């Protein structure tokens, strides 16, 4: 816990972020309510999603801090799922199961961001790395597309199975829905345990020490494993609703694997090696993403 002044500063910072999201989601909802229809419910949601992203981007630029976008990843899915459900007539049991899993994941992930974000003076180091060495025009484009719009489209792609689950009557609720619930809640639990262990480690670590205990002794990125698993749970909901669409409902989840394996994990590992040379020992012993017992040192 920080001083009273620091806590007041965080409170003001979070109020700025809250204002950004109220305006963003308000304008997105206004378009859905009074704007022209695209003729496709999923496309209406996508346009509103992009409008909200542009608003958050504007706040990010105004405050010179792209971490305004960080909570978007976790607050958009329940809002989008709720909108699709509200204007459709799905199986109510399946819809409640879907919303329950998404809300548990969303509240936990958003709460973790609120707990760890120091305030407006802090921006995720990865954003500065992406903009570093670029001209102002290129930095602007990287900020808009790379940091804001592309992740929005990534999350929307991961939500497409939920569009299927909450807008179609589909097959009756069955064992695949139960599997999706177990996988989704299990994913949120993995992320909770991994983040809790990391927070405890951060409070007591010594310089140069690396995290390799608990879940972190079985996977170098157990929080990312939990995140990827959650998106596979959403895909299973889509599969349960429409098994004939098996060939594409997992596209969003697979894309999430590509995002973490191709971008997020390499950036994290490069930084860890630069700051803690002993991290190479962890790489040699501990699996990269999917948990398994570590090799002997």
């Amino acid at each position: 816990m920080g001083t009273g002044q620091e806590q007041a500063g965080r409170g003001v910072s979070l109020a700025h972020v809250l204002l950004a999201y109220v305006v963003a989601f308000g304008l997105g909802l206004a378009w859905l309510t009074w704007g022209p229809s695209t003729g496709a419910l999923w496309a209406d949601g996508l346009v509103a999603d992009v409008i909200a992203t542009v608003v958050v981007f504007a706040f990010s630029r105004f405050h010179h801090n792209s971490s305004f976008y960080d909570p978007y990843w976790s607050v958009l899915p329940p809002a989008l799922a709720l909108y699709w459900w509200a204007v459709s007539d799905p199986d109510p049991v399946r819809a409640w199961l879907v919303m329950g899993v998404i809300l548990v994941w969303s509240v936990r992930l958003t709460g973790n961001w609120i707990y760890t974000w120091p305030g407006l003076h802090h921006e995720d180091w990865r954003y500065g790395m992406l903009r570093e060495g670029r001209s102002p025009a290129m930095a602007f484009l990287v900020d808009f597309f790379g940091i804001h719009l592309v992740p929005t489209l990534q999350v929307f792609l991961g939500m497409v199975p939920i569009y299927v689950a909450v807008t179609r009557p589909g097959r009756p609720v069955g064992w695949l829905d139960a599997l999706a619930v177990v996988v989704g809640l299990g994913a949120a639990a993995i992320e909770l345990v991994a983040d809790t262990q990391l927070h405890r480690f951060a409070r007591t670590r010594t310089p140069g020490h690396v995290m390799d205990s608990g879940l972190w002794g079985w996977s170098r990125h157990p929080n990312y494993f939990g995140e990827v698993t959650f998106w596979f749970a959403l895909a299973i909901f889509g599969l349960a609703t429409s098994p004939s669409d098996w060939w594409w409902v997992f596209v969003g989840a697979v894309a999430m694997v590509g995002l973490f394996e191709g971008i997020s994990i390499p950036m994290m590992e490069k930084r860890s090696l630069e700051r803690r040379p002993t991290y190479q020992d962890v790489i040699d012993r501990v699996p990269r993403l999917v948990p398994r017992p570590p090799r002997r040192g």
Side-chain angles (χ1 to χ4, degrees):
M1 297 292 290
T3 64
Q5 186 175 4
E6 291 172 339
Q7 290 300 311
R10 285 190 74 246
V12 172
S13 297
L14 291 171
H16 280 268
V17 174
L18 178 60
L19 174 62
Y21 281 78
V22 169
V23 175
F25 281 64
L27 288 179
L29 181 59
W31 188 89
L32 290 171
T33 304
W34 296 293
S37 173
T38 65
L41 188 57
W42 67 266
D44 290 338
L46 177 58
V47 174
D49 194 359
V50 172
I51 289 172
T53 300
V54 171
V55 173
V56 173
F57 171 70
F59 274 85
S60 295
R61 298 296 294 184
F62 179 79
H63 289 277
H64 306 287
N65 189 331
S66 292
S67 280
F68 263 76
Y69 181 80
D70 290 349
Y72 197 87
W73 183 282
S74 57
V75 300
L76 184 278
L80 193 57
L82 185 61
Y83 165 70
W84 282 335
W85 181 10
V87 296
S88 304
D89 186 27
D91 183 315
V93 175
R94 176 174 288 123
W96 277 111
L97 292 176
V98 166
M99 286 303 304
V101 170
I102 293 178
L103 283 172
V104 168
W105 165 84
S106 174
V107 170
R108 193 221 67 84
L109 190 55
T110 307
N112 184 70
W113 179 81
I114 293 172
Y115 176 77
T116 58
W117 190 51
L120 286 172
H121 64 278
H122 174 82
E123 182 185 55
D124 191 305
W125 58 269
R126 288 168 290 192
Y127 302 154
M129 179 183 292
L130 290 171
R131 295 189 301 259
E132 187 177 5
R134 303 181 189 275
S135 67
M138 282 301 300
F140 178 91
L141 293 176
V142 167
D143 199 3
F144 177 65
F145 288 100
I147 298 174
H148 290 77
L149 186 58
V150 170
T152 285
L153 298 178
Q154 177 82 63
V155 170
F156 188 88
L157 186 61
M159 285 291 293
V160 170
I162 299 306
Y163 172 78
V164 174
V166 300
T167 62
R168 300 182 186 177
R171 295 183 61 180
V173 173
W175 69 271
L176 277 174
D177 296 277
L179 177 63
V181 171
V182 171
V183 172
L185 295 182
I190 289 172
E191 290 184 285
L192 174 62
V193 172
D195 285 337
T196 300
Q197 290 175 343
L198 187 61
H199 297 330
R200 290 173 179 170
F201 169 77
R203 290 195 296 266
T204 60
R205 69 181 175 190
T206 56
H209 190 204
V210 296
M211 178 61 163
D212 61 351
S213 60
L215 289 181
W216 299 83
W218 286 58
S219 168
R220 302 202 296 274
H221 304 279
N223 50 346
Y224 289 166
F225 173 74
E227 185 66 16
V228 167
T229 303
F230 166 76
W231 294 100
F232 272 95
L234 300 194
I236 297 172
F237 274 123
L239 180 65
T241 307
S242 181
S244 62
D245 291 321
W246 62 269
W247 58 277
W248 66 265
V249 293
F250 286 92
V251 170
V254 172
M256 286 292 178
V257 175
L259 173 68
F260 286 106
E261 283 282 10
I263 299 176
S264 298
I265 290 177
M267 291 181 73
M268 293 293 292
E269 303 229 307
K270 180 176 182 292
R271 186 171 189 254
S272 293
L273 285 170
E274 290 173 348
R275 301 177 68 190
R276 306 176 188 88
T278 56
Y279 187 69
Q280 183 61 51
D281 173 63
V282 178
I283 292 177
D284 294 339
R285 292 186 294 104
V286 180
R288 178 182 172 100
L289 182 63
V290 180
R292 64 163 174 76
R295 300 184 181 92
R296 293 182 179 273

